[in-house]
Amino acid sequence: MRLQETDKVFQALEIFRIEIPSWGFANTGTRFGKFTQVAAAATLEEKLSDAGQVHLLTGVCPTVALHVLWDLLGGIQSTDTVNKLAGRYGIRPGSINPNLFQEQVYKYGSLGNSDLSVREQALRHVKDSIAIAQRLNSRDISLWFADGSNYPGTANIRHRKRWFEEYLRASHVGLAPDQRMLLEYKPFEPAFYHTDLADWGMSLLMARAAGPRAKVLVDTGHHYLSQNIEQIVAWLLSEDMLGGFHFNDRRYADDDLTMGSIDPYQVFRIFHEILYFEWEAQKRADIAYMIDQSHNLKGKIEATIQTVTMAQQLHSKAALVDHETLAEAQKDADLLRAETILQDAFATDVRPAIREWRASKGLPTDPMKAFRESGYLQRITKERAARNSQSVSSYA
Ligand code: RM4
Ligand code: MN
Ligand code: MN
């Protein structure tokens, strides 16, 4: 690799941070059951400890996304403990994810429920989550709604849209000036006929209705199969409405596989659109890069390290694109040249430069190897084995 390219990779690595999800360390499953892992984290402390390991070895994951119902069992009362434990494990709380889909009252929806008292309860939970985020110094409240319906004719789609607008606006009022609200969309599942926030256009309209600090969150697994995600990214950037990502990969639907495992070129193209925008606009886009994965089969900490290193690679490759030459080729309609610029960047082996950068930061050059040699997995396996062997694997 030429010196100039190594420089570009170094610059890209210097600014790249990615948030890891607490739930990526816990036992998760499919609709049919769970295959439990003895080393899986079950408590908040274990999740933060595992996340701390990933940050220790990679140096680029200083924050952990938290799910209010899964991680803060005492609600706002838990915030002191979270802050203390996060400090102990060398990380910070990241985005706060309210949970508006698990409790029985949400059977027919949360903010879109036709029952006023359920909408009010959901609003209270969002406001409580905002307060929790403030106590944790977290900027982003990340909202995903399971709201929708399973059968034609069973829901008033327009009323539900209006309720969403109204209640998101009411939620936005609770934000501190430096906080943001991120609105995630998903085409289907768990609702199989209609989903209230089904695509980026719906999230965009809702964010605009909610207020100036509401932005769209793109979960890469939440699209129909042939959809052009990087175009959505480019449009949201040009509208100043892209707030963040949930990265994962998939082959079929919302599979939550490790990032870049199925289609790394897709992620490269997303990063390219962002970096191309930043070059043109001469400013950094304010985007929260986050991971949202479910590691059913791979070791949880290993799957997270693998994802983080893959993210660094794909982001670094995208940083190799020569924007000036690309802009020229596009202007001249030189298709072959333009496309080749992307393909060459994608084909470049950036791993040696990344290793060099890690060494320059005093980080292990191979975080996965360092993890396997650290003895951490053996230790937690021993500590957690007895308890985890009791854990439930079926839903019966
Ligand atoms: C959804 C969505 C949300 C995540 C839940 C558990 O499909 O991706 O971000 O919090 O799953
Ligand atoms: Mn998600
Ligand atoms: Mn999802």
Side-chain angles (χ1 to χ4, degrees), residues 143 145 161 164-165 168-169 172 181-186 195-219 222-223 227 231-244:
L143 290 161
F145 300 94
K161 172 175 175 283
F164 261 95
E165 286 162 355
L168 286 174
R169 204 175 300 128
H172 192 284
M181 172 190 284
L182 305 181
L183 297 179
E184 187 171 351
Y185 55 90
K186 177 169 173 169
T195 297
D196 287 302
L197 301 193
D199 66 27
W200 68 278
M202 298 181 197
S203 279
L204 174 68
L205 288 175
M206 282 300 154
R208 290 223 162 109
R213 290 192 305 285
K215 304 278 166 182
V216 178
L217 184 141
V218 177
D219 182 316
H222 292 188
H223 301 88
Q227 209 159 356
Q231 182 183 6
I232 296 173
V233 168
W235 276 54
L236 288 174
L237 281 167
S238 83
E239 293 290 326
D240 192 20
M241 288 303 280
L242 180 61

Side-chain angles (χ1 to χ4, degrees), residues 42-93:
T43 64
L44 173 69
E45 175 158 12
E46 290 174 354
K47 291 175 200 170
L48 294 177
S49 168
D50 293 357
Q53 280 300 302
V54 176
H55 182 47
L56 184 77
L57 298 170
T58 61
V60 295
C61 310
T63 59
V64 185
L66 299 172
H67 238 287
V68 173
L69 235 55
W70 303 337
D71 297 321
L72 290 108
L73 301 179
I76 194 129
Q77 314 298 343
S78 301
T79 49
D80 288 344
T81 316
V82 174
N83 279 329
K84 203 173 73 207
L85 290 175
R88 180 178 305 163
Y89 295 108
I91 38 164
R92 282 180 284 123

